[in-house]
């Protein structure tokens, strides 16, 4: 199996909440119904352990998350009310990115059908992110697989501020983020490479910037593994995106990122990251296409 899901760990949210919890189960159903994947391709990941989490997050923060003692302000910044299931889901979602990365090292690619929780910092969470899954996976593989050069390619429309902060001054993990200049987070961190785009940026301009930034990322990082955050939220129909990419443009983005990695024989773990389309089926379409594109590119060889 190479597609890891945590949608069975649903956390209780009020009905008006804007986090699209239903998106993840829909994505798995969509992929199964399309006939490109069978039930054996999907797996529930192990939860990440405290030891794996504390290679990224401080023990004090982990203790508050696990013990349910996050302050009201901390919970508000995360955007979820605390619950046992929030903790379990966060552990499983990080576990899915770790499992996908391990799979990538043997198969070329693997995917988390959720994850991409890039707004989680060492000592705090925000923007629907509790633990930083890409950072936890990177640290774990540095330990167990001896990797020394990993690149995070963050194409979610929001800056990967938590990831940038966690790996600031660390040459072993290169952080690249391409995002909306005027979008959340309004106070940005410094990634190893940031590309900031104006509101309303469309397909051609986006892809022009991405192509050169991707080359620079792979040149400078000499990555042995990439972690790709394939956010669906640069989409023109996204409620939180502010950019104007079409589905066709997002498909070309995925082909560019995954095709470039495959051509250089760099394994990739894919996480879905954001996607908040007016019609959630549009976000599901975009995420499903990312997975099918990876299968087509990596399984063709
Ligand atoms: Zn986002």
């Amino acid at each position: 199996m190479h597609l890891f899901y945590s949608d069975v760990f649903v956390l209780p949210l009020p009905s008006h909440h804007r986090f699209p919890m239903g998106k993840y189960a829909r994505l798995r159903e969509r992929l199964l119904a399309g006939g490109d994947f069978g039930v054996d391709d999907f797996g529930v990941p192990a939860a990440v352990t405290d030891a794996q989490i504390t290679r990224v997050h401080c023990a004090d923060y982990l203790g508050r998350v696990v013990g349910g003692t996050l302050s009201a302000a901390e919970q508000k910044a995360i955007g979820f009310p605390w619950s046992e299931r929030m903790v379990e889901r966060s552990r499983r979602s990080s576990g899915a990115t770790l499992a996908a990365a391990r799979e990538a090292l043997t198969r070329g690619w693997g995917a988390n059908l959720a994850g991409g929780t890039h707004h989680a910092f060492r000592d705090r969470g925000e923007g629907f992110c509790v633990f930083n899954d890409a950072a936890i996976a990177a640290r774990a593989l540095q330990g167990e697989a001896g990797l020394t050069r990993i690149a995070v390619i963050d194409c979610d429309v929001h800056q990967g501020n938590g990831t940038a902060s966690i790996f600031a001054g660390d040459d072993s993990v290169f952080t690249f983020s391409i995002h909306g200049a005027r979008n959340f987070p309004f106070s940005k961190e410094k990634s190893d490479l940031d590309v900031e785009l104006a509101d309303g940026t469309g397909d051609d301009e986006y892809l022009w910037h991405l192509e050169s930034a991707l080359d620079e990322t792979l040149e400078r990082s000499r990555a042995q593994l990439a972690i790709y955050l394939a956010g669906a939220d640069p989409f023109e129909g996204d409620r939180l995106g502010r950019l104007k990419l079409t589905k066709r443009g997002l498909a070309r983005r995925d082909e560019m990122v995954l095709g470039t990695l495959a051509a250089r024989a760099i394994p990739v773990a894919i996480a879905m990251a954001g996607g908040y389309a007016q019609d959630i089926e549009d976000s599901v379409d975009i995420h499903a296409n990312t997975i099918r594109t990876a299968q087509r590119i990596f399984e063709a060889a």
Side-chain angles (χ1 to χ4, degrees):
M1 63 198 172
H2 49 293
L3 305 177
F4 299 92
Y5 65 95
S6 46
D7 61 71
V8 290
F9 306 97
V10 171
L11 60 98
L13 294 176
S15 58
H16 60 271
H17 199 283
R18 67 180 180 172
F19 187 77
M21 192 61 70
K23 178 177 82 170
Y24 302 99
R26 288 287 302 123
L27 173 58
R28 183 159 56 98
E29 288 162 13
R30 179 77 65 85
L31 290 169
L32 257 176
D36 299 314
F37 298 97
V39 288
D40 293 347
D41 292 318
F42 298 83
V44 176
V48 288
T49 64
D50 288 357
Q52 288 167 329
I53 294 170
T54 52
R55 297 191 70 176
V56 169
H57 296 285
C58 62
D60 195 61
Y61 173 60
L62 173 62
R64 292 200 301 285
V65 171
V66 172
T69 56
L70 292 167
S71 70
E74 286 179 304
Q75 291 178 57
K76 187 161 181 286
I78 289 170
F80 298 140
W82 184 88
S83 62
E84 291 277 1
R85 280 184 282 176
M86 182 197 85
V87 181
E88 183 65 9
R89 182 187 167 82
S90 301
R91 284 189 192 271
R92 297 284 181 165
S93 183
S94 289
T97 298
L98 174 54
R102 286 178 179 143
E103 187 70 14
L105 292 182
T106 55
R107 190 192 186 105
W109 74 290
N112 176 0
L113 300 183
T117 44
H118 57 169
H119 300 309
F121 287 73
R122 177 171 163 72
D123 61 352
R124 68 182 191 277
E126 64 178 44
F128 307 142
C129 302
V130 177
F131 301 137
N132 193 308
D133 61 329
I136 290 171
R139 284 285 184 248
L141 287 183
Q142 287 178 334
E144 68 190 43
L147 300 187
T148 54
R149 302 185 309 277
I150 295 171
V152 179
I153 297 170
D154 189 337
C155 292
D156 187 277
V157 82
H158 305 101
Q159 193 208 24
N161 57 342
T163 318
S165 167
I166 287 165
F167 294 117
D170 180 340
D171 290 339
S172 69
V173 179
F174 187 95
T175 54
F176 160 52
S177 179
I178 180 167
H179 51 264
R182 295 187 56 226
N183 209 327
F184 177 92
F186 302 108
S187 165
K188 298 194 171 43
E189 300 292 322
K190 195 172 176 351
S191 311
D192 291 304
L193 179 60
D194 286 297
V195 175
E196 304 216 310
L197 302 168
D199 287 357
T201 296
D203 292 346
D204 290 341
E205 190 183 350
Y206 183 99
L207 293 166
W208 184 84
H209 283 289
L210 178 61
E211 186 169 25
S212 55
L214 201 52
D215 281 344
E216 181 179 340
T217 295
L218 298 179
E219 214 58 55
R220 286 171 58 191
S221 67
R222 295 178 297 120
Q224 299 160 302
L225 170 75
I227 301 175
Y228 174 37
L229 277 64
D233 49 12
F235 176 54
E236 58 188 347
D238 198 273
R239 289 179 291 127
L240 308 179
R242 305 177 72 114
L243 300 190
K244 288 265 190 291
L245 273 72
T246 64
K247 287 185 186 177
R248 176 74 195 122
L250 287 160
R252 287 165 60 201
R253 175 198 69 174
D254 291 339
E255 285 162 13
M256 183 183 283
V257 172
L258 297 168
T260 302
L261 293 170
R264 298 188 188 212
I266 301 170
V268 59
I270 307 167
M272 296 295 95
Y276 314 92
Q278 305 284 0
D279 180 350
I280 204 62
E281 293 300 313
D282 285 330
S283 296
V284 173
D285 281 348
I286 294 163
H287 288 315
N289 186 68
T290 301
I291 302 295
R292 292 194 192 104
T293 300
Q295 182 188 44
R296 177 161 50 78
I297 287 176
F298 282 90
E299 315 270 326

